[in-house]
Amino acid sequence: MLKVEGLKKYYPVQKSSIEVLLTKRRDFVRAVDGVTFDVQKGEVLSLVGESGCGKTTTGRILVGLETPTDGRIYFKDKEVTSMEKDELRRLRRHIQMVFQDPYASLNPRMKIGEHLEDSLAVHGIAEGEEAKEMAMAMLDRVGLPGEQFYNRMPYQLSGGQRQRVAIARAMILKPEFVVADEPVSMIDVSLRAAILDLLMSFREEYDLSMIFITHDLSVARLVGDRIAVMYLGKIVEIGETRKVIHNPRHPYTAALLSSVPSFMKRRKRVEIIGDIANPIDIPPGCRYHPRCPFARDVCRKDEPELEGDRHLFACHFPLELTF
Amino acid sequence: MLLEVENLTTLFRTKRGIIRAVDNVSLSLEKGDFISIVGESGCGKSTLAYSIIRLIDSPGEIAGGKIYFDGKELTSLSEEKMRKVRGKEIGMVFQDPMTSLDPLEKIGDQITETLMEHIDVTKKEAWQIAREMLEKVGLPPDRVESYPHQLSGGQRQRVVIAMAVSLNPKLLIADEPTTALDVIVQEKIMDLLNEMRKEGRAIMLITHDFALAAERSDRIAVMYAGWIIEMGDADRLTKEPMHPYTRGLIESVPDVWVDREIKPLPGFPPDLAKPPEGCRFRPRCPLATEKCMKEPPGVDVDGRYVKCWLFEVK
């Protein structure tokens, strides 16, 4: 369904002219630094990592909100990165995004129903009465009865209800691929499960492929068929959910897992040293080595490749451990 | 008993009506206790914390109840005396460390000032204590020379904890101290709070994260719509929740090590300006009966406090 190869996104660092003259060097934030993965039809891939690891930027590139610095994206075997404008616009309908902040993603001056109709009009799917009927039906479908909610304004809705609107707006286009960026992290705890259930019900109904971006590994486990772990702009481990959770091979994955709060108290702890490095100044060799308690000489020199069959990891000395 | 909150009610007079954010809440805490107050946004958990240190501003007010802390009754204390309790005897750590830090001042100066305001030390001694405190929370002591913007979010929160602990308070209240931080940083901050507890301080953690509370505290109080609806030993409460809300909440959150479906809780929390009649959880409760149209009593069942008609003592 989707294939990404060597995706990169660098942002130039703003400097004063004096700094430029003095250093004669342009610095870049390497937000995404060579990411390769694919997503099958009907599959959910959870993209996890700490803030600043590049997971959101990756998602934004996929839906066309950012242009990559380098790399290729294929959607159903067609290269997106070299498409003409018209073709790209037709494609956008099939790739939708659900954002983290339901307060920022809706237009405060637009009725709830209009958000959905607008989405249909922009992509030339339906207008007028037909669009209204579709909007009403979709509002019913996401648990916001059209009769009650069509005419309401965003400010009259709770965070959970707004997120339902955002989901409805994406799903009314019957997309084939959805990027969900932390869709429940700003929602009240007791309402999160219902939102996740709603998203997953669309996955079944439309046979959706999805990238689910989250910092929460318990949510990643619940929704993802596979998990990809990002660290400083790169995927360090990717594989089937159970494998990654129960037999993490990369020390970063293990450290991340061992710090997730859980109702099951006894668990192994895997150490991690210090704080995350600066994405302007990425460490040489394995980018994780300054924080890795198992790092040896080679880790400081050679960057490990993401290797393996189905369960891939980028580490010179992968762990053998069972959680 | 270090802290005893008795029938505390804190309300806010708003245009929409009176909101009883904390409604007739009682709890107690001993030296070295680690209690978590768990609940969703708007349940009153933060208001409870702010009431204890009396940082409730108009239109809010403490409308009833007593707070006994280390031999003093705080609700009737003069503001001047209360200022000495705040910081010196009860330390506070907020979600956003910048609430407690001045962006324009060096870390060392900020800790030093706090120290000199409350205890009798010279500037030089205070500076030395500041260095020791930073080391204690796992930061290089030369960070005294840094400004807040030169630190990461996790480091700033450590500085705030260092500041709070430097006055050697008997109780440390932490209001969602790690909500804005990544899990790895959270783990380290929680370890730090645990160390502070081992030194004999009582810790009150305010959080929406049930698993975090389960893992870290001795006792948990679950709040819903201004009430404590269940309170007891953290292990037993999470393994055998009694109140339908506690059970529903635990069943609705995924766990990284447990392979199970999650069950969404129906409905949403009530508008506290117009709370439902009787039990406030009634509209969402799968087990609600006719009886629940009246407010349930809080009862003690084998050391567990539950506010639900299901556990009425005959």
Side-chain angles (χ1 to χ4, degrees), chain A residues 164-208:
Chain A
R164 286 171 190 267
V165 176
I167 291 169
R169 181 178 54 186
M171 297 304 172
I172 201 167
L173 300 170
K174 294 206 165 45
E176 295 177 76
F177 188 88
V178 167
V179 174
D181 184 11
E182 304 265 16
V184 295
S185 66
M186 287 179 74
I187 309 286
D188 252 340
V189 191
S190 77
L191 308 179
R192 285 181 186 176
I195 298 285
L196 290 173
D197 261 14
L198 180 65
L199 267 172
M200 292 306 131
S201 72
F202 278 108
R203 176 208 179 172
E204 299 236 320
E205 190 182 328
Y206 296 171
D207 196 21
L208 267 180

Side-chain angles (χ1 to χ4, degrees), chain A residues 51 188 190 221 242 269, chain B residues 40-41 182 187 191 256 259:
Chain A
S51 47
D188 252 340
S190 77
R221 175 195 180 121
R242 274 166 183 287
R269 287 186 75 162
Chain B
E40 302 174 70
S41 52
D182 283 307
E187 173 107 327
D191 285 350
V256 71
D259 209 7

Side-chain angles (χ1 to χ4, degrees), chain B residues 82-131:
Chain B
M82 193 61 214
R83 253 202 304 273
K84 284 186 185 135
V85 173
R86 240 179 260 138
K88 177 81 187 76
E89 293 181 58
I90 304 179
M92 234 2 239
V93 178
F94 301 94
Q95 176 176 341
D96 178 4
M98 290 314 286
T99 312
S100 320
L101 297 174
D102 182 342
L104 301 175
E105 252 190 296
K106 280 183 191 170
I107 300 300
D109 285 324
Q110 302 195 40
I111 304 180
T112 312
E113 268 165 40
T114 311
L115 281 168
M116 290 170 71
E117 205 174 294
H118 287 277
I119 52 176
D120 192 18
V121 281
T122 64
K123 177 114 194 181
K124 209 175 150 194
E125 286 164 347
W127 197 259
Q128 189 48 40
I129 298 175
R131 292 178 62 93

Side-chain angles (χ1 to χ4, degrees), chain B residues 182-200:
Chain B
D182 283 307
V183 282
I184 286 169
V185 187
Q186 165 167 285
E187 173 107 327
K188 291 180 177 174
I189 298 284
M190 286 297 149
D191 285 350
L192 195 56
L193 288 183
N194 198 39
E195 272 167 45
M196 301 303 144
R197 180 265 284 279
K198 280 190 195 144
E199 291 172 2

